Amino acid sequence: MSFWNKNKETENEQVSEPGVGKVKNIIAIASGKGGVGKSTVTTNLAMALSEQGHKVGVLDADIYGPSQPIMLGSHDGAQSNDGYAIPVKSNGVSFISMSTVAQQKGPTIMRAPIALKILNQFLTSVMWGELDYLLIDLPPGTGDIQLTLAQQAKLTGAIIVTTPQKVSVEISQRGLQMFQQLNIPIIGVIENMSGFTCSHCQEVTAIFKEGGAANMCQEFDVPFLGAIPLDPLIMMSSDEGRSLSEDKEGHAYQAYQKVAESFAHQLESSAANKMLEVE
């Protein structure tokens, strides 16, 4: 029985077969620790990729603390067709989250085996359709949820999110090393909260130091995808479920556009290298 069987069935909905069979790239976005803005990065990267013409989905894998409905700007429940869930769409992004299939207030209280079962349904019983990218917003840590998704989702690769300071970088390295041990390619590292630009004098202050992600990339020989500034506009747009495209001249919007381009380019380069190796 599907977890969302109780949801309203759609009428005359054109849907494809369930699962991720038509998803070109499944990308895990991880941090190893909480508090680095990983979910915010996932949301804004997804919207940036969508604005660049890609078909994008987000799987919110944080069962106990889902945040994507807030940041993507929709609290609609996922409808179902013949027992399979249809993702909610907002800001050009299709997404599924615990909040979209179990619309209840208060904490999600369940044991790990049930949470893992729900995640498996997110992969196999959702009508994801044709997507260029499915971004999986992982919870912090390197435990059961991360291992299950790494083993079952047939990941194309992983992105590591960190903030610049030493304590964040060192813990994020553990997430990076976990994927390496599982033979999952590291697409690159994104440095979040990289610097604050004063709106009056335009001086940049490195509140959380600087260069931590770049140093990690050099140490582990993985690509650096770019830096995202510490910008109040990111907080406000995330709280209100709006795209940063409302201020296309802003530092935050420009930064995410560059990271999205770097991410797509890195994937294309990796795919080309694999083809050469096969030949």
Side-chain angles (χ1 to χ4, degrees), residues 83-187:
Y84 297 107
I86 298 173
V88 177
K89 192 161 187 177
S90 182
N91 283 303
V93 177
S94 300
F95 75 97
I96 205 78
S97 169
M98 189 65 184
S99 293
T100 64
V101 299
Q103 293 190 298
Q104 61 184 30
K105 296 182 179 180
T108 300
I109 302 173
M110 65 177 65
R111 296 188 182 277
I114 302 299
L116 294 176
K117 181 179 180 181
I118 293 170
L119 285 175
N120 182 64
Q121 289 193 334
F122 282 177
L123 289 170
T124 61
S125 300
V126 173
M127 299 284 193
W128 287 112
E130 295 182 2
L131 294 177
D132 296 311
Y133 307 109
L134 176 61
L135 308 183
I136 301 181
D137 180 17
L138 290 176
T142 54
D144 285 346
I145 288 178
Q146 290 79 6
L147 289 171
T148 297
L149 285 171
Q151 293 167 350
Q152 295 183 2
K154 297 181 179 179
L155 296 175
T156 305
I159 291 174
I160 305 299
V161 179
T162 185
T163 47
Q165 73 269 37
K166 182 178 179 180
V167 65
S168 176
V169 170
E170 289 196 355
I171 297 175
S172 295
Q173 286 177 0
R174 300 173 191 172
L176 185 152
Q177 290 172 307
M178 178 194 74
F179 287 111
Q180 288 184 328
Q181 290 176 18
L182 295 171
N183 295 317
I184 293 170
I186 303 298
I187 298 167

Side-chain angles (χ1 to χ4, degrees), residues 25-270:
N25 299 284
I26 303 177
I27 312 297
I29 301 186
S31 62
K33 73 181 300 297
V36 300
K38 169 188 50 57
S39 294
T40 304
V41 169
T42 302
T43 304
N44 286 286
L45 175 59
M47 288 191 282
L49 288 166
S50 176
E51 289 163 12
Q52 292 176 8
H54 303 288
K55 295 179 180 178
V56 187
V58 170
L59 189 162
D60 189 349
D62 196 339
I63 299 298
Y64 302 103
S67 56
Q68 290 301 332
I70 295 174
M71 292 189 288
L72 282 168
S74 176
H75 291 278
D76 293 342
Q79 294 184 323
S80 62
N81 184 290
D82 195 24
Y84 297 107
I86 298 173
V88 177
K89 192 161 187 177
S90 182
N91 283 303
V93 177
S94 300
F95 75 97
I96 205 78
S97 169
M98 189 65 184
S99 293
T100 64
V101 299
Q103 293 190 298
Q104 61 184 30
K105 296 182 179 180
T108 300
I109 302 173
M110 65 177 65
R111 296 188 182 277
I114 302 299
L116 294 176
K117 181 179 180 181
I118 293 170
L119 285 175
N120 182 64
Q121 289 193 334
F122 282 177
L123 289 170
T124 61
S125 300
V126 173
M127 299 284 193
W128 287 112
E130 295 182 2
L131 294 177
D132 296 311
Y133 307 109
L134 176 61
L135 308 183
I136 301 181
D137 180 17
L138 290 176
T142 54
D144 285 346
I145 288 178
Q146 290 79 6
L147 289 171
T148 297
L149 285 171
Q151 293 167 350
Q152 295 183 2
K154 297 181 179 179
L155 296 175
T156 305
I159 291 174
I160 305 299
V161 179
T162 185
T163 47
Q165 73 269 37
K166 182 178 179 180
V167 65
S168 176
V169 170
E170 289 196 355
I171 297 175
S172 295
Q173 286 177 0
R174 300 173 191 172
L176 185 152
Q177 290 172 307
M178 178 194 74
F179 287 111
Q180 288 184 328
Q181 290 176 18
L182 295 171
N183 295 317
I184 293 170
I186 303 298
I187 298 167
V189 178
I190 297 173
E191 183 173 274
N192 196 28
M193 308 182 200
S194 188
F196 172 74
T197 302
C198 176
S199 60
H200 301 288
C201 68
Q202 300 303 308
E203 180 180 351
V204 179
T205 302
I207 294 176
F208 296 109
K209 296 185 178 180
E210 57 186 341
N215 292 336
M216 179 167 68
C217 290
Q218 184 174 6
E219 179 180 353
F220 289 91
D221 192 25
V222 297
F224 178 57
L225 297 180
I228 304 298
L230 182 63
D231 191 325
L233 184 59
I234 296 177
M235 176 275 295
M236 289 186 286
S237 64
S238 296
D239 276 359
E240 297 170 9
R242 296 184 290 106
S243 169
L244 290 168
S245 61
E246 295 181 14
D247 181 13
K248 292 188 176 181
E249 300 301 318
H251 296 294
Y253 177 81
Q254 295 293 332
Y256 271 109
Q257 290 296 310
K258 291 179 181 178
V259 167
E261 291 171 358
S262 179
F263 160 75
H265 175 73
Q266 187 59 40
L267 269 184
E268 290 174 2
S269 299
S270 299

